[in-house]
Amino acid sequence: MSATASNPSSSSSSSSSSSSSSNPNYGEAAAFKKYQASLFSTHLKSMSPKPSDQQLTSLLSLLSSSNTVPYIVRYQVPAIGNTLSTNAEVVYDVSRSYESWRGLKLTRKKIIDAVLSSKHQNTNTTASLIDKILVADSKSTLDDIYAPYKPVSKGSLAERAMKKFDASHNISSVVTSIITRGDFQMYFAKSSTFPNATEFREATITLIAGELNKAEQVFDSVVFDVSRFSKFTAKEVKVDSKTYLNNPKKADAEKHRSALRTYFDFAVNVGRLQDHQVLALRRASDLKVVSTNFEVDDARSIGNLHYRLFVNGECDQQKQRKPPVLPWRRPQKGSREDELLNAAVQDLYTRLVKKRACGGVWRGLLKKAEIAGIKSFGVNYNRMMMFPPLTEKRPLLAVDPGFRAGCKFAILGGNGNVERLESCDWMKNFEKSKRMVGEMLISVQKLASDDASSPVLVALGTGTASAESENLVVQAAKSLNLELEIQPVNEDGASVWSASIAAKTEFPNPPSVAVLGAVSIGRRLQDPMNVLVSIPPKSLGLGMYQHDLNETELYSILDDVCIDCIATVGVDLNACSLDLLKKVPGLTKKGLAENVISARPYSTRTELKKVKGVGAKAYENSAAFCKVLKGSEPLDETNLHPDDYKLAKKIVKKKISDAELIEKFKTTEGELLRVRESLERGNCDVRLLGIGGGGNKTKPDNWTELKTSDYDLPKLNASLPLHGILGKVKNVVAFGAFVDIGLKTDGLLHIKHFNNRDTSIFAGARIGVDVLGVDVGRGRVELGLAEAGRISGGLGKRKRSE
C-alpha cells in the first residue's frame, strides 16, 4: 500500500487572513514548509539515518488525513520509509507536535500581526522572529514571544510615560529616532526645555527598554546566560515562619517534609539539574517547604545584552550568531548617549527580561522533566501491558490478601469466567478458613479435569498480608496433600477495577465489592492486557512524580501506549471486551465500539463496514487489528490488512517469483517480508514470541521474605549485609527502581546496578535483592541485585523453603 503525498497545509492556506497572510512568506503554506524543516532539528534530531523530505511530507499528509499512528507505521511503510516505521515513539511525538501546531494557526496570525505593526522594526530581527513564530508548536513558546508586543497595560510605567509626555514633548518620536537611527539630539533638545529633566529621562529610559524588549535576541541572550551560567538554589522555609504557618497546604507539607529534606539547603548549576530534582523542587516549592531562586551573574548578562544590541568595532555583524538589534554603532564610552543607553539596558534587564527569562528557563526545565517522567511512565505501562499471558488456559484460585478485611477468593475458569466468590476472616478462625480454602482448591482441581495430578494454580496478590495469606493456602493444600503452583501477581489497581463500571456491569449483585478484587488478580495472571485496559493507569503506581505531571499530556501519551499495545496484539472481534475494543485504532470514537459489539457475530472483517458509524477511514485504520477466528476467510485470523490479501494469496500459492510479485503489486522487498512474516505467525499471540514483557524466568528457591513484624530500619541496619531478599518492584524511574522488600520503607535499586533497558525490571516484577545499606535518619534503604538473578512478574513456579 502507498499514500499519495500532498501538502497538508494546502486545504487551509486559502482561508488564512489577509493581514499577515497577504505576504506569501507568512502564509500557511510557507509556515508548513518551515515547520516541516524544523522537525529535523527537533523531534527527528536523534534519528539516523534521517527520513527524506518526501517521507516526512507523506507522514504529515497521512496524519492530516485522520490516519492513526499504529496504522501508519505498520501499513504505510513504503510512504514513510523504514526509519520512521521502526521508530513509532518518534512518529507519536511528531503526531502530537503537528496536531498542536495546526491548532495554533490563529494564535500565530495574531502574534505575527502584532510584530508587523510594531513601530520600530529591524528587517533582520523581524524576519528571524517570525520564523520562530511560524514553527512554534506550543502555546507557551508563543506566549513568551508575544509578551513584549501585548498592548500597554493601563497604569503601567510605559502607559504613564506616553500619557504625560507624548502630547507635550512627542516622546514617541524621541524614542523612534534613538531606536532606528541612534540619534539622541531630539532627546537632549526636548529634555533641556522640561523643568524636571530627570522625570523626562526616566520616561525615555522606560520606553526605550520597552522597545528593546521586543527583540528576540534580548530574551534569548538572557535565557542563554541563565541556563548556562546561573545556579538554582533552594532554602528551607522554617516551620515557625509566617509563610509556613499560613500555608493552605500545610497538611501535605508535613506529610512530605521529611522526604524533601534533601532540598533544604540546595544549590546546583542550572545545567546540572536532573529531571527528578526539578520535579521534586517544584513539589517542595508548591508545598512551601522550600523557597527557590535563580542566582544569576547580572553583570555578565548585562554585558552580553550590550554585545547583542550593537555592531561595534570589536565584533562585526558576521561573527555574531544573530543580527544585532540596533543598526548603528555603540556610542562612545562615557558619553551622555552611552550613559542614557546603559540606564535603558539596566532597566530592560532588571524590570523586563530577567524575571521572564528565569521563568522561561524554569518552564523549559519543567517541560523536559515532565516529558522524561511521562516517558518513564509510558515505558513501565507498555511493559506491564505486553507481559505474556499464560501459555495454557488453566482454571485457578485467585487470592486477594488482607488482615482486618480478611482474604477474598475467586475460582476462575480457563477463560476467566467466575465459578465462585468467597471471603474469610482467617485471623478470627484460622481452621474454618483453612477448610474453606481446601474446598476451593479441590474445586479448581476438578475444573482442570485433564490432569488431576497437576499442581493447582493459585494467583496470589502481593499486597498487605500476602505472606500470611499464602501460608493459609499452603496449610490448606498440605492437609489435602495437594501440590500448588503459586504465582505472585501485582494487585495495584485491583480495588479500583472492582468498583469500575465494567465490574458493576458484569457483577450487578456481588457478595461484596471488595471480593471482586480477587477476580481482577486472577485474570491479570491469565491475560494482563485484558484486565489492565480497564484500570486507569494512574492507579497502577507507575512512573516518577506521577501526581506532579501534566495530566492532559500524561493521559494522552498513556492512551497512545495502550492503543499501540492493543494494535500489536490484536483483538478477537467476536469475543473481546468493550474496554479492549474502545482502544482499537480507528474505533476510539465515542459510541463506535458499542455499535461494533451490537453487530456481533462476524464471519469476516469486511462486515465491519456495515456497522453504523464505521466509515471507510475507520475501517481502514481498524481492520488489521480486529481478528475473526474460525471465520470464512483464514487471513482474517492474521494481522494482515485486507489490502494485503491479494498479495498474501499469491505468496501462499508460490507460483510467482518475488521479482514478479514486486512488479505486479508495485510493492517492495520489505513489504513482501512483512506479509510473509504475518502469514508464518498466523494467529499466534506476539506476547508469547518475546515481543514484549519479561519472558520466563524461574525463581530461586532460597529468596528470603522480610516481614514488617520482624524488622524495622534500626534492626535492618544492625543485620547488614542481607543477601537474597525477595522484593517487588514498585516503580521504575530515571535513576533506578523502588523495591518493596516487606518493610514500610521501599528500598532504592540504583540504575548503576542494572541496565536501564532491562525489560525484566518493571513495576510488579519479583526480584532478588541484597540490602547494601540503611540510612535510619533519612529513612532510606540501598539495594543491589542478588547474584542468583531475578524473577519475572509471575510465569515461573514459586516455591518457598519451609
Side-chain angles (χ1 to χ4, degrees), residues 19-181:
S19 55
S20 60
S21 299
S22 57
N23 186 330
N25 293 324
Y26 307 146
E28 283 302 297
F32 171 76
K33 289 181 180 179
K34 291 181 183 296
Y35 168 74
Q36 178 174 318
S38 74
L39 291 174
F40 286 100
S41 59
T42 53
H43 299 286
L44 307 179
K45 185 177 181 179
S46 60
M47 293 188 72
S48 180
K50 285 183 169 51
S52 66
D53 287 337
Q54 182 57 47
Q55 289 169 340
L56 184 55
T57 300
S58 296
L59 172 61
L60 297 179
S61 177
L62 287 163
L63 290 171
S64 64
S65 301
S66 302
N67 291 289
T68 64
V69 174
Y71 167 73
I72 292 172
V73 298
R74 289 168 175 82
Y75 304 107
Q76 291 293 340
V77 179
I80 67 172
N82 290 326
T83 305
L84 286 171
S85 67
T86 54
N87 287 274
E89 185 179 348
V90 174
V91 177
Y92 273 111
D93 287 343
V94 171
S95 174
R96 284 186 283 269
S97 169
Y98 185 45
E99 183 179 358
S100 175
W101 179 82
R102 293 171 73 193
L104 293 170
K105 174 183 172 182
L106 294 178
T107 306
R108 287 196 299 273
K109 175 191 173 303
K110 179 184 75 171
I111 298 175
I112 290 174
D113 287 345
V115 172
L116 294 177
S117 63
S118 177
K119 292 181 179 179
H120 312 120
Q121 291 187 50
N122 179 313
T123 304
N124 290 329
T125 58
T126 298
S128 175
L129 183 60
I130 289 180
D131 283 348
K132 196 173 180 179
I133 296 169
L134 292 176
V135 303
D137 64 355
S138 71
K139 190 173 184 302
S140 60
T141 300
L142 291 176
D143 286 343
D144 281 337
I145 295 173
Y146 182 53
Y149 292 92
K150 286 181 178 179
V152 177
S153 302
K154 188 175 182 180
S156 66
L157 288 175
E159 193 267 345
R160 294 202 302 268
M162 290 293 292
K163 185 176 181 179
K164 185 166 187 177
F165 295 109
D166 205 34
S168 60
H169 283 67
N170 195 16
I171 196 171
S172 59
S173 297
V174 171
V175 173
T176 298
S177 67
I178 294 174
I179 295 293
T180 58
R181 302 188 301 276

